[in-house]
Amino acid sequence: MWDILEKAYKIISSPATLFCAAIIIMVIYTLRTETNFLNIKKVFSDYHKIFKNAKKHLLIFWGVPILPALALVQIAPIDTNVSENLLVFLSILIAAFFSMLSILVTQQGHANVSNQFKTVLKESASIALVEITLCILALIITLSTLIIGTNIHDWIKTILSFTDYYVIFVMLLNILILIKRTKALIDNTK
């Protein structure tokens, strides 16, 4: 009897179990409708509205990254060296997206801009918010692979690597949308 309880305690208190429990609790919390603090659904619904007349483009920006992610998982699953480099890269990206978001928000206050300009500003801010969310997700995945290191099964490492690569490729494609919209805003600034 004590052996069973001891094994159960080891499983429940293992880092992998605790980490998975934390992720499950956070996912459930963010999906609740009355959550005001982590309303990520609103961020993604505003982003999705940008593609209301271009569903095929949404498929390109969210479907195509599966292919390079699958290729990279086979070539180089994320290890400690890759994790360290990704952490630096993602931290810089988060700072850049927050800076861009602050610039976009300050531009919305100008009264003498057209409705089309305001729409592009709002859509650009939505894309920047999605990018920040994806960066944070990739940062958490990368950090978990760095911390867990070699103490995980190969199939878990493959899933984490694929998810991380996929999120990064989605981010990179969405950066292209953000660049295009920023160029349009610059060209139409009075």
Side-chain angles (χ1 to χ4, degrees):
M1 175 72 174
W2 289 109
D3 289 341
I4 294 172
L5 289 175
E6 188 177 333
K7 287 180 182 178
Y9 175 75
K10 284 183 180 179
I11 291 171
I12 291 171
S13 65
S14 73
T17 304
L18 295 173
F19 189 73
C20 289
I23 289 174
I24 290 169
I25 291 168
M26 290 306 295
V27 167
I28 291 170
Y29 180 74
T30 57
L31 294 178
R32 291 178 44 202
T33 55
E34 66 272 359
T35 301
N36 287 332
F37 296 104
L38 292 175
N39 196 352
I40 296 173
K41 290 187 300 188
K42 174 83 170 111
V43 170
F44 280 95
S45 69
D46 287 347
Y47 170 83
H48 192 265
K49 288 177 188 175
I50 296 170
F51 295 96
K52 66 182 173 191
N53 295 325
K55 300 289 184 192
K56 292 178 184 174
H57 294 292
L58 191 62
L59 180 64
I60 294 294
F61 286 101
W62 287 84
V64 170
I66 292 172
L67 301 174
L70 284 172
L72 274 178
V73 164
Q74 294 175 29
I75 297 169
I78 295 179
D79 59 4
T80 305
N81 293 331
V82 175
S83 291
E84 290 172 355
N85 291 329
L86 281 176
L87 286 173
V88 172
F89 172 70
L90 292 169
S91 300
I92 292 169
L93 273 181
I94 288 174
F97 288 132
F98 271 116
S99 297
M100 179 174 277
L101 187 61
S102 68
I103 292 168
L104 292 171
V105 169
T106 57
Q107 292 298 315
Q108 287 181 340
H110 296 297
N112 59 349
V113 294
S114 68
N115 285 337
Q116 185 179 10
F117 189 82
K118 287 181 182 179
T119 301
V120 173
L121 269 174
K122 184 179 177 189
E123 290 175 350
S124 299
S126 293
I127 294 169
L129 286 170
V130 167
E131 290 287 287
I132 290 169
T133 306
L134 292 175
C135 262
I136 291 170
L137 177 63
L139 196 65
I140 291 170
I141 295 168
T142 305
L143 191 58
S144 67
T145 57
L146 180 66
I147 291 170
I148 294 171
T150 59
N151 299 332
I152 58 174
H153 298 288
D154 286 340
W155 62 274
I156 295 174
K157 190 175 188 177
T158 302
I159 291 171
L160 287 174
S161 296
F162 169 77
T163 307
D164 208 9
Y165 285 139
Y166 173 76
V167 170
I168 289 169
F169 281 117
V170 169
M171 279 181 358
L172 292 175
L173 284 177
N174 279 287
I175 286 174
L176 297 175
I177 299 172
L178 199 54
I179 290 171
K180 180 183 180 261
R181 292 189 177 271
T182 304
K183 173 77 168 110
L185 290 172
I186 292 169
D187 289 346
N188 293 313
T189 304
K190 295 180 181 181

